[in-house]
Amino acid sequence: QKIMDFSEVTKTDLQGYLKELQKENLALSTISRNIASIRALYHYMIRTGKMQEDPSETLKPPKLEKKMPEILSVEEVDRLLKQPNLNTPKGIRDNAMMELMYATGMRVSELIHLQITDINLQMGYVICHDSEKERIIPIGNVSRNAILQYMEHSRGFFVKNKKESSLFTNCSGKSMSRQGFWNLILTMTYSHMGKPHTTIGDASFHC
């Protein structure tokens, strides 16, 4: 079509453009980005007074399909749990986090917000906090021993401030962030398992 100006574009034109994109079998994410750019352009034109009507207001991006989480086999879970180097404070910490998360099924947000007072190694349970709720989860000997090793041989290596109450901290002795946890897991899965997009948090365990 011989369209010489943005103001000449109609809703029908944009719908036709969308259909052409779909015919080209482009990825849904690519089509969505195209539509987002078009809508941003016309929002700008309206805001600056260069146009009075927005032809893109009814243009809707395609719904993106959610990918199913990858399922780890028993062997892959075992390999992942064996990645931490137990001869280093960092490895002992990483092992304790992974064993606890695997044994309890708690979310990353629950794991990184655990306080020292949330763990009772003598009775063998952990208290998870979620908004205003809390739940008590029993822990087995493997995760219990991993946490015990961490408390005795690793946490003090990172934490110098006695007022720090977070159970798991980063190497600077501060409460671990969600991004920090993902980074260490991605490093292990990519470097040792060849699964750059599989983590203990977004993958399902096949047991």
Side-chain angles (χ1 to χ4, degrees):
Q1 300 185 37
K2 295 182 179 180
I3 298 175
M4 305 301 294
D5 191 88
F6 290 121
S7 61
E8 298 176 12
V9 176
T10 66
K11 294 180 180 180
T12 302
D13 293 327
L14 292 179
Q15 290 296 337
Y17 176 67
L18 175 58
K19 290 180 180 179
E20 287 298 320
L21 292 179
Q22 294 171 331
K23 286 180 181 179
E24 294 180 14
N25 293 321
L26 297 174
L28 295 181
S29 56
T30 300
I31 297 176
S32 294
R33 285 194 297 270
N34 271 271
I35 293 175
S37 297
I38 292 172
R39 297 193 66 176
L41 170 64
Y42 281 104
H43 286 172
Y44 169 78
M45 299 290 280
I46 295 294
R47 190 169 65 251
T48 57
K50 296 179 180 180
M51 291 183 63
Q52 300 303 314
E53 296 185 7
D54 182 3
S56 71
E57 62 182 357
T58 59
L59 197 62
K60 303 294 183 183
K63 291 184 178 180
L64 298 177
E65 296 180 0
K66 292 185 177 181
K67 293 183 178 180
M68 294 295 290
E70 184 175 351
I71 298 177
L72 297 181
S73 66
V74 173
E75 292 75 16
E76 287 173 329
V77 171
D78 188 55
R79 285 170 56 198
L80 181 59
L81 294 175
K82 288 181 179 178
Q83 295 309 315
N85 182 356
L86 299 183
N87 293 318
T88 66
K90 182 178 182 300
I92 294 174
R93 180 205 63 187
D94 296 349
N95 180 65
M97 288 193 296
M98 292 173 62
E99 288 288 358
L100 180 59
M101 196 172 186
Y102 177 55
T104 61
M106 68 174 63
R107 294 184 289 271
V108 174
S109 57
E110 293 175 320
L111 179 75
I112 63 177
H113 287 116
L114 285 176
Q115 303 295 297
I116 294 178
T117 53
D118 293 328
I119 292 285
N120 189 320
L121 295 178
Q122 184 176 2
M123 299 298 294
Y125 68 81
V126 58
I127 302 175
C128 284
H129 302 273
D130 182 14
S131 299
E132 298 179 355
K133 299 178 181 180
E134 65 178 37
R135 52 199 179 104
I136 299 176
I137 307 175
I139 56 177
N141 287 333
V142 175
S143 56
R144 176 183 175 279
N145 291 336
I147 296 172
L148 184 61
Q149 288 297 310
Y150 165 67
M151 296 297 293
E152 292 183 351
H153 305 293
S154 176
R155 189 175 183 275
F157 181 84
F158 303 118
V159 180
K160 305 304 180 185
N161 183 0
K162 294 183 179 180
K163 293 182 179 181
E164 178 58 60
S165 60
S166 296
L167 178 61
F168 296 112
T169 72
N170 56 27
C171 294
S172 298
K174 302 294 179 62
S175 180
M176 177 167 288
S177 67
R178 189 182 184 89
Q179 186 61 44
F181 178 83
W182 290 136
N183 286 340
L184 71 89
I185 295 296
L186 286 173
T187 297
M188 284 187 283
T189 55
Y190 181 76
S191 300
H192 303 288
M193 296 181 63
K195 287 179 173 291
H197 302 298
T198 302
T199 71
I200 203 169
D202 63 15
S204 300
F205 289 102
H206 180 68
C207 300

